[in-house]
Amino acid sequence: MLLSFFLVGLIPDCAAARDRAKHPILKLIYTIFSFGWTGANYQWKHFYGAYLFFAALATPLVFSVHSVVSWDFAMAQTPGWHSTLFAPYFVAGAIFSGVGMVIFLLVIIRKGFGLQHLVTIDHMEKLAKLVLLTSCMVGYSYLTEFFMAWYGPSVAERDLFWFRATGHYWWAFWIMFSCNVIFPMSLWFKSVRRNMTALLVLSIFVNIGMWFERFVIIVTSLTRSFNPANWFYYRISITELALIVGSFAWFFMFFLVFVRVLPAFSIAEIKETLPMPKRRAH
């Protein structure tokens, strides 16, 4: 479904790249993915209908995917996982980290390619407001977890959350809390939201914080399970470290390839924002 939504949105862009491509192989690829696009009025009509249809299907799909992933944790009896809060908590966190990554990439692209006239300060400020909103939601989820653990009936749950904040992995917990809740609070100030350097730094903090959130959720809960005989301290292996570094390398490689061979911004959406051409006086 998401792949269909992605490919449909690329049709006008591939057609525009097809008309300007000089290399025969690239021209062939653009021709295949443009699906015979000529820019006729009926094509635009069907394009917007299909694009809206796939967008309407993709949005609940995103919510359902992250909810199912969260329930994989919530259905377990492990302390720190068994919570009904995980579904909205994971969805808000996914939007939070996703928008943070978008800001990080946009700041670099608009500066590196001189696209400030397309991605304006107002666009970046709106993204910063979305980060602020989702940061508040994630912070509220953190506090709700602590409240329910502290006043709930489970002693193991209360001990685990106390261990997260003050135990062996206290540094990971406070990195997570600082990057996801404390630092984004600076976005309440308009001067920060419209400062590209500040947004770049905050977006890096957001993604660091969300990585440590997964670390805290998984490692601390498995480190302190119900049976004290199974308690242990986690140490990352060379294989796991290589997988992390490799995943970053694959992501940035595919991103750079995409920017190289396809339009970085949707041509169809840019055309919608252009002013009407002025008529010449006769």
Side-chain angles (χ1 to χ4, degrees):
M1 182 58 64
L2 292 177
L3 181 61
S4 299
F5 176 66
F6 175 72
L7 291 176
V8 168
L10 280 177
I11 290 176
D13 297 341
C14 288
R18 174 201 61 197
D19 298 337
R20 292 165 174 79
K22 297 180 180 179
H23 196 282
I25 297 179
L26 287 178
K27 191 174 184 65
L28 176 62
I29 295 174
Y30 294 141
T31 302
I32 294 173
F33 285 99
S34 62
F35 297 100
W37 180 271
T38 60
N41 183 60
Y42 74 94
Q43 290 181 334
W44 280 108
K45 178 181 178 180
H46 292 305
F47 167 77
Y48 282 118
Y51 203 48
L52 181 62
F53 174 77
F54 284 117
L57 291 179
T59 302
L61 181 65
V62 172
F63 281 82
S64 63
V65 167
H66 289 286
S67 298
V68 171
V69 171
S70 69
W71 288 329
D72 290 338
F73 288 94
M75 292 300 292
Q77 297 298 316
T78 305
W81 291 0
H82 193 61
S83 173
T84 57
L85 181 68
F86 267 34
Y89 169 26
F90 271 50
V91 171
I95 299 173
F96 179 57
S97 60
V99 177
M101 178 57 71
V102 168
I103 291 177
F104 173 75
L105 296 175
L106 277 180
V107 170
I108 297 175
I109 288 178
R110 70 190 296 272
K111 181 67 174 178
F113 293 97
L115 299 175
Q116 290 87 345
H117 61 291
L118 295 179
V119 184
T120 64
I121 297 293
D122 293 332
H123 293 134
M124 302 302 295
E125 184 178 8
K126 289 182 174 64
L127 287 173
K129 289 179 180 179
L130 185 56
V131 169
L132 178 61
L133 171 64
T134 49
S135 173
C136 292
M137 296 171 65
V138 170
Y140 179 77
S141 300
Y142 291 162
L143 297 178
T144 302
E145 280 189 316
F146 267 92
F147 180 86
M148 297 305 297
W150 189 259
Y151 290 101
S154 176
V155 177
E157 192 86 5
R158 182 164 56 251
D159 291 344
L160 176 73
F161 277 90
W162 187 253
F163 170 75
R164 284 182 177 177
T166 61
H168 184 75
Y169 297 104
W170 64 269
W171 51 272
F173 172 84
W174 288 109
I175 290 175
M176 174 198 75
F177 194 84
S178 300
C179 292
N180 292 344
V181 181
I182 297 177
F183 296 154
M185 289 299 105
S186 60
L187 293 173
W188 283 105
F189 302 98
K190 187 173 183 178
S191 58
V192 177
R193 295 197 302 266
R194 300 179 72 87
N195 187 307
M196 293 301 102
T197 303
L199 287 182
L200 180 65
V201 174
L202 283 173
S203 65
I204 295 173
F205 282 151
V206 165
N207 284 279
I208 291 174
M210 289 305 297
W211 189 91
F212 272 100
E213 179 191 285
R214 268 46 180 180
F215 180 89
V216 169
I217 290 175
I218 296 172
V219 172
T220 57
S221 293
L222 294 178
T223 299
R224 287 291 187 271
S225 58
F226 284 109
N227 187 2
N230 295 328
W231 290 2
F232 69 98
Y233 291 134
Y234 169 76
R235 290 184 178 86
I236 190 170
S237 67
I238 297 298
T239 303
E240 292 169 324
L241 186 61
L243 287 173
I244 294 174
V245 175
S247 64
F248 277 95
W250 276 103
F251 170 79
F252 284 109
M253 184 197 72
F254 282 123
F255 174 75
L256 292 175
V257 169
F258 178 85
V259 174
R260 177 65 180 84
V261 301
L262 290 169
F265 300 100
S266 174
I267 297 175
E269 295 180 3
I270 292 174
K271 286 183 176 180
E272 292 179 348
T273 63
L274 295 177
M276 292 292 292
K278 294 181 180 180
R279 295 183 177 180
R280 295 182 180 180
H282 297 286

